[in-house]
């Protein structure tokens, strides 16, 4: 049995669900016992992170580690390519998302409330996001061309962050610059059922979170 500790609006939980959907897995989602950061949850997951996976008593608390574990335990369809160069490019994309792009998105969460907005922070964040997307375009140029329906572990976090960037841009008027190559990559990802289905399920939670904090 796959039990996943999740939060409805977490980007990393959505990232993991995309991988699990693509593999056709069955799982159950539960909230962190006692709430995220509680002592009860820390006893289960020492890092306190979401998502976390409990697979028949094997508990893993990092979305990337969970995804790689599931790819080994449930290898069909494979989500890491067959040769070393393609695999490292997929891992490079995953690390770029988790350590570069997603943190640049997260900076803006504190700016959603009108009372908290700072024009200097918004301008800096917009510049940082545009720079990250430009870097992503350069990374994508080195990724081996994939069949249209191919999804790797490196792809799973990006469509969720793209959705946040668009939503935050519309709300805050950031003027983020999107390279054509990144938009083309996004369109390809949206043709993959696991991505499309997760975004349909996820967007209402994202919109609710934004509306509650922006006073919309």
């Amino acid at each position: 049995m796959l039990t996943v500790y999740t939060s409805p609006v977490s980007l990393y939980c959505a990232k993991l669900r995309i991988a699990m959907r693509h593999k056709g897995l069955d799982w159950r989602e539960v909230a962190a016992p006692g709430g995220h950061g509680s002592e009860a949850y820390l006893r289960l997951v020492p890092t306190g992170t979401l998502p976390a996976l409990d697979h028949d008593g094997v508990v893993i608390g990092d979305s990337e580690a969970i995804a790689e574990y599931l790819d080994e335990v449930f290898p069909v369809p494979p989500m890491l390519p067959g040769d070393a160069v393609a695999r490292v490019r997929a891992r490079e994309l995953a690390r770029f998302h988790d350590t570069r792009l997603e943190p640049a998105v997260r900076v803006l969460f504190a700016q959603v409330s009108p009372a908290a907005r700072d024009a200097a922070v918004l301008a800096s964040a917009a510049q940082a996001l545009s720079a990250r997307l430009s870097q992503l375009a350069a990374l994508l140029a080195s990724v081996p061309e994939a069949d249209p329906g191919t999804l790797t572990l490196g792809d799973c976090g990006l469509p969720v962050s793209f959705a946040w960037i668009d939503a935050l841009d519309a709300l805050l008027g950031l003027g983020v610059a999107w390279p054509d190559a990144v938009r083309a990559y996004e369109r390809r990802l949206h043709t993959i059922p696991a991505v499309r289905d997760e975004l349909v399920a996820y967007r209402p939670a994202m919109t609710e979170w934004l509306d509650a904090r922006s006073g919309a």
Side-chain angles (χ1 to χ4, degrees):
M1 167 65 73
L2 297 174
T3 298
V4 184
Y5 297 100
T6 65
S7 166
V9 79
S10 164
L11 284 78
Y12 289 105
C13 294
K15 167 188 167 181
L16 178 60
R17 283 193 298 267
I18 287 174
M20 293 192 296
R21 287 179 187 275
H22 191 65
K23 286 187 170 291
L25 301 178
D26 293 321
W27 70 92
R28 69 183 186 108
E29 294 187 43
V30 297
H36 182 217
S38 70
E39 289 186 10
Y41 186 57
L42 290 171
R43 285 195 292 271
L44 285 171
V45 182
T47 58
T49 54
L50 291 172
L53 172 73
D54 184 337
H55 181 206
D56 296 334
V58 176
V59 178
I60 309 166
D62 176 89
S63 64
E64 195 67 14
I66 294 168
E68 293 214 14
Y69 169 80
L70 292 175
D71 200 45
E72 290 187 25
V73 176
F74 304 99
V76 179
M79 294 187 69
L80 284 173
D83 67 89
V85 172
R87 285 197 302 275
V88 80
R89 294 305 184 202
R91 289 187 170 108
E92 189 175 28
L93 275 183
R95 304 301 191 272
F96 177 82
H97 171 264
D98 290 359
T99 66
R100 299 292 188 273
L101 184 63
E102 192 277 344
V105 174
R106 188 172 293 272
V107 164
L108 288 164
F109 291 173
Q111 298 292 308
V112 170
S113 170
R117 290 176 196 168
D118 183 312
V121 172
L122 292 175
S124 175
Q127 185 178 23
L129 279 173
S130 296
R132 293 305 187 202
L133 291 171
S134 180
Q135 291 169 342
L136 176 59
L139 284 177
L140 290 171
S142 67
V143 175
E145 186 173 353
D147 293 333
T150 298
L151 188 72
T152 76
L153 296 183
D155 299 319
C156 293
L158 288 160
V160 187
S161 284
F162 293 162
W164 274 100
I165 294 170
D166 278 335
L168 290 164
D169 198 356
L171 176 68
L172 302 172
L174 302 171
V176 174
W178 285 80
D180 290 343
V182 176
R183 282 300 198 192
Y185 168 70
E186 179 187 35
R187 288 193 294 272
R188 182 183 76 79
L189 292 181
H190 284 186
T191 68
I192 298 171
V195 173
R196 185 174 61 243
D197 293 348
E198 177 57 33
L199 288 176
V200 167
Y202 181 79
R203 286 184 192 277
M206 180 179 70
T207 300
E208 181 180 356
W209 189 94
L210 288 168
D211 288 350
R213 286 155 181 80
S214 66

